Amino acid sequence: MDAAGGGLVSPTPDVAAELFGPALEKAEQYAAILATRGVEWGLIGPRETERLWERHILNSLAVSTFIPDGATVVDVGSGAGLPGIPLALARPDVRVTLLEPLERRALFLTLAVEELGLGEQVRVVRDRAETHKALYDVVTCRAVSALPKLLTWTMHLFYPDGRLVALKGASASNEVEAADRDLRRRHLSGRVATVEVYPGAEPTYVVVVR
Ligand SMILES: C[S@@+](CC[C@H](N)C(=O)[O-])C[C@H]1O[C@@H](n2cnc3c(N)ncnc32)[C@H](O)[C@@H]1O
């Protein structure tokens, strides 16, 4: 444990330099924020600090391939900023809204955005997906809800030619199959892509609905 009460962050993996490019230092600063304030405020489990990079920060970048150049993105249920903050750092071309209903989490996000100097690219909105009124090219989310509920919560947030990009676990295909009727009723289709964010990374399952 460090003086701030959080765990020590594991060393920055070599691959992070390639994935974050000029934003590497900011990505390291974000890792430190997660490992200190993130843990103190209960947004990150203390045991997670050892695997912040692989499991949280780099894993978040699995959404990036599915996000067109210059897109507007809303990260629904952003929590501590995952996947929205790593995405914004790696992709300076996208504009990101971090949507989070809980006051404490929204405050955490506001402080992180300020400290990382991301104010021109990233905004924080305290709201629930169902009541948020705005349109984006892409909705991202990780660990927020199962697909049928996610569709109900987020369909009004993306343009007709936009998409939902959800980071899911290994049961992603079952989730898409189970939501088949819901998807068809809404004239949408869902597919699962398996992404290896960097050579040798554990596969990440990404559900893309459009
Ligand atoms: C398990 S956390 C995941 C946080 C982050 N996406 C991550 O992967 O670490 C789920 C988040 O969804 C938020 N949430 C719950 N219901 C929501 C809703 N209706 N609209 C938007 N966010 C919601 C919660 O406040 C919480 O921060």
Side-chain angles (χ1 to χ4, degrees):
M1 290 290 227
D2 65 12
L8 294 172
V9 197
S10 53
T12 309
D14 290 344
V15 71
E18 200 181 309
L19 293 168
F20 285 103
L24 177 64
E25 265 185 38
K26 286 189 177 186
E28 289 178 317
Q29 196 184 339
Y30 176 55
I33 292 171
L34 290 178
T36 52
R37 192 185 301 137
V39 173
E40 287 163 39
W41 289 24
L43 276 75
I44 296 286
R47 291 204 196 125
E48 293 301 306
T49 54
E50 287 162 26
R51 42 194 180 192
L52 272 183
W53 281 103
E54 285 78 6
R55 182 179 276 200
H56 299 283
I57 299 172
L58 299 179
N59 172 268
S60 289
L61 299 183
V63 298
S64 187
T65 345
F66 307 98
I67 298 179
D69 287 351
T72 55
V73 176
V74 60
D75 185 29
V76 166
S78 196
L82 299 160
I85 290 182
L87 173 70
L89 290 171
R91 290 281 304 274
D93 60 297
V94 302
R95 294 284 165 273
V96 179
T97 296
L98 306 174
L99 190 69
E100 174 52 54
L102 295 185
E103 184 177 12
R104 200 168 163 77
R105 291 175 185 220
L107 176 59
F108 177 93
L109 292 170
T110 303
L111 292 174
V113 167
E114 247 173 58
E115 287 162 12
L116 296 170
L118 287 173
E120 295 207 347
Q121 188 193 359
V122 180
R123 67 172 182 149
V124 177
V125 174
R126 186 178 164 214
D127 202 353
R128 303 180 68 79
E130 309 90 296
T131 44
H132 182 51
K133 285 188 178 51
L135 277 167
Y136 302 87
D137 298 310
V138 183
V139 175
T140 58
C141 62
R142 188 183 87 149
V144 174
S145 186
L147 205 44
K149 196 185 267 183
L150 265 187
L151 290 172
T152 310
W153 282 0
T154 64
M155 257 207 69
H156 65 287
L157 295 176
F158 54 93
Y159 289 111
D161 61 347
R163 64 193 78 169
L164 166 69
V165 178
L167 288 176
K168 290 282 177 186
S171 60
S173 298
N174 294 341
E175 227 181 281
V176 172
E177 266 173 44
D180 183 56
R181 197 191 291 183
D182 266 311
L183 287 164
R184 276 197 278 169
R185 189 164 50 83
R186 297 170 196 270
H187 307 288
L188 292 169
S189 66
R191 71 184 174 100
V192 181
T194 309
V195 179
E196 205 177 270
V197 176
Y198 54 92
E202 269 189 35
T204 302
Y205 302 92
V206 183
V207 171
V208 182
V209 170
R210 49 197 307 184

